[in-house]
Amino acid sequence: MDRGIVTTPFGRRSMTLGMLAHQLSSAPAVDDGSVDKWKLFRTVCAAKTGLGVSDRSLAVLNALLSFYPKAELDPSAGLVVFPSNAQLSLRTHGMAETTLRRHLTALVEAGLILRRDSPNGKRYARRDRKGAIGQAFGFDLAPMLTRASEFTREAARLEADRRYLQMMRERLSLCRRDVVKLVELLRPSDIARADEADMQCQTVYMALSRKPSITDVERALGLLSVLRDDLTNYLENLLKTQNTAANERQNERHIQNSESDYQSESEIACERSDREISAEAAAETQCNADDDIVAGTPPSPSPARLHEHLTTLPVVLKACPQIRDYGPTGRIGSWRDMFAAANVVSTMLGISTEAYHEACAVLGPQTTATVLACLLERSEHIHSAGGYLRDLTRRAKGRTFTVSAMLAARLRAQAGTVAMSG
């Protein structure tokens, strides 16, 4: 069948360089082998994104292939189909003629088919005396046969990109989950740092579109991976710090438990410290050391005499008798019992473990237990015992707080209550 290599369009449609290039590239199809038309069509459907055709255009291509009489595209038998627009509309489930023309043009521009226009623009075929088609005018399917290997490579590339994008999105989802969980873990220890990390995570994730590209997903994954590593390192350092503090407290408890009479070095040091600050405590006892004690109470005992026994266990129990009820057996006979009772009271008052351990590290276990006994006495008037203890710990670091003044205030309050009741 002699149909030539290059044909020009009928009517007002102009010839373009793209059309010429597609026609020249389809010329080798005459020598190519046959290809199953439906397998080739499925390959084109898989590669449609790279080819720039829509699903409606592929529906028209499917209708054109259905007019080809054989199951395989064979160049020796001719590759031109010549259905009318009415027949094409029926096989595309009633597609409007204007829409049909638009999609046919899209297929031609995508290089999937060629127009073989007759002199009068009609689609028909001339047959010889034996009924074989000698020359046909319509749509040439030769480009599909010529570009079959190209379609296969494009479909394979798109499938590989799809799988890679799916894998990257899974990694992004896992990384985001890790960041969210780490932020929740960090929040009780460092609210500001947790809020900042949460905001960064939300900013990165909200910047993604509904269907992000591979580049967008890779960029977001890189940012969240860095954020996850930063949070992991921060929490690791925090855990090391807590473990170190816990080991120090454990060692301190072992040293205290080794004393049979429990007259520990910290108690002796506290008594020496009280004697050194007797002048300061005396001044505080003359004024109102506890801001919440009502003014006008009777005068307190002599400061010098008060400091002689101020840090001994009997004085603490006298100033804060309620702590006795929380001893191991309902009574407190030693500082060991006092520490156990203080641990129970800290939980009852809602004081966090972190605040309690920090107070023990700064004030010492004995002073911390004494402070908790005082807080228990005034628990009805204190809104947040944990915040109160943190504030006292902070003041102790700045050397602006002594437990002597707190005990003196408790003793004055008791003396005032007895005087008023008498």
Side-chain angles (χ1 to χ4, degrees):
M1 179 176 61
D2 184 13
R3 56 179 174 79
I5 296 178
V6 177
T7 61
T8 57
F10 171 79
R12 297 180 179 180
R13 292 193 300 270
S14 59
M15 186 69 174
T16 64
L17 292 177
M19 294 172 61
L20 179 61
H22 290 319
Q23 291 185 22
L24 293 176
S25 63
S26 65
V30 177
D31 301 326
D32 290 347
S34 59
V35 177
D36 186 281
K37 64 180 182 180
W38 298 121
K39 289 184 179 179
L40 182 58
F41 176 72
R42 287 192 290 271
T43 303
V44 172
C45 290
K48 69 175 184 177
T49 304
L51 299 175
V53 292
S54 65
D55 51 350
R56 298 295 299 278
S57 298
L58 291 177
V60 176
L61 180 60
N62 179 74
L64 288 174
L65 289 173
S66 68
F67 284 102
Y68 191 77
K70 295 184 178 182
E72 294 183 348
L73 297 179
D74 188 0
S76 62
L79 296 172
V80 179
V81 293
F82 41 90
S84 64
N85 286 344
Q87 292 297 320
L88 275 177
S89 178
L90 288 176
R91 296 201 184 184
T92 53
H93 308 288
M95 184 180 292
E97 188 170 334
T98 55
T99 305
L100 189 63
R101 290 197 188 97
R102 185 172 69 253
H103 289 299
L104 286 171
T105 302
L107 292 174
V108 173
E109 293 177 350
L112 296 175
I113 61 175
L114 294 175
R115 291 184 185 271
R116 300 292 181 185
D117 290 342
S118 65
N120 60 3
K122 301 295 183 180
R123 301 172 198 148
Y124 61 88
R126 294 189 182 278
R127 300 178 183 272
D128 57 17
R129 294 181 178 181
K130 296 181 180 181
I133 297 177
Q135 189 174 18
F137 299 97
F139 298 104
D140 193 349
L141 303 176
M144 292 190 62
L145 188 61
T146 305
R147 301 176 63 188
S149 58
E150 177 189 344
F151 297 152
T152 302
R153 291 193 300 270
E154 183 66 17
R157 184 188 68 82
L158 291 176
E159 177 64 16
D161 288 347
R162 185 191 67 81
R163 290 180 178 274
Y164 179 73
L165 178 61
Q166 182 181 10
M167 180 184 66
M168 295 301 292
R169 295 186 69 169
E170 289 176 353
R171 291 182 180 179
L172 178 63
S173 179
L174 292 175
C175 187
R176 184 196 181 196
R177 185 183 69 186
D178 293 342
V179 170
V180 171
K181 297 293 185 180
L182 291 176
V183 167
E184 293 177 357
L185 179 61
L186 176 61
R187 193 175 299 279
S189 302
D190 193 338
I191 297 178
R193 181 68 177 269
D195 290 342
E196 180 183 358
D198 186 43
M199 182 62 67
Q200 292 178 3
C201 178
Q202 294 298 328
T203 301
V204 172
Y205 209 78
M206 294 301 293
L208 294 174
S209 60
R210 190 173 63 89
K211 293 184 177 180
S213 63
I214 294 178
T215 304
D216 295 337
V217 174
E218 288 178 339
R219 175 181 173 275
L221 179 59
L223 294 174
L224 289 186
S225 297
V226 172
L227 180 59
R228 179 183 58 186
D229 293 342
D230 290 343
L231 290 173
T232 302
N233 293 334
Y234 185 83
L235 288 171
E236 183 180 2
N237 294 333
L238 183 63
L239 181 61
K240 291 179 180 178
T241 304
Q242 292 179 350
N243 289 338
T244 302
N247 292 336
E248 291 177 354
R249 289 192 298 271
Q250 185 68 23
N251 293 336
E252 184 178 357
R253 284 195 295 269
H254 288 167
I255 295 173
Q256 291 171 348
N257 292 337
S258 64
E259 299 292 339
S260 57
D261 58 354
Y262 223 82
Q263 182 66 20
S264 63
E265 296 180 1
S266 61
E267 183 177 353
I268 298 173
C270 185
E271 293 177 354
R272 291 177 180 175
S273 177
D274 285 340
R275 287 195 298 269
E276 292 174 357
I277 61 171
S278 59
E280 179 182 356
E284 290 178 354
T285 53
Q286 292 302 324
C287 62
N288 197 349
D290 191 342
D291 294 338
D292 296 326
I293 298 298
V294 180
T297 55
S300 59
S302 143
R305 185 175 180 179
L306 178 64
H307 275 274
E308 290 178 1
H309 307 285
L310 198 55
T311 57
T312 61
L313 185 60
V315 173
V316 175
L317 295 178
K318 179 180 179 181
C320 308
Q322 294 186 32
I323 194 70
R324 299 176 185 270
D325 298 334
Y326 298 92
T329 58
R331 57 183 294 276
I332 294 178
S334 64
W335 278 108
R336 186 193 303 271
D337 298 339
M338 185 66 176
F339 294 152
N343 194 15
V344 175
V345 169
S346 67
T347 304
M348 186 192 71
L349 294 178
I351 298 174
S352 65
T353 305
E354 180 185 1
Y356 179 71
H357 289 166
E358 182 182 7
C360 289
V362 175
L363 301 173
Q366 180 176 325
T367 304
T368 302
T370 304
V371 170
L372 289 178
C374 294
L375 294 183
L376 178 63
E377 293 293 327
R378 306 196 64 254
S379 59
E380 296 180 357
H381 306 284
I382 298 176
H383 178 68
S384 175
Y388 201 111
L389 181 61
R390 286 182 183 273
D391 182 66
L392 294 180
T393 304
R394 178 183 57 80
R395 290 167 56 190
K397 289 180 180 180
R399 300 183 181 276
T400 59
F401 165 75
T402 58
V403 73
S404 305
M406 180 175 282
L407 283 177
R410 291 304 315 154
L411 292 174
R412 287 201 313 272
Q414 288 183 356
T417 304
V418 172
M420 292 176 63
S421 61

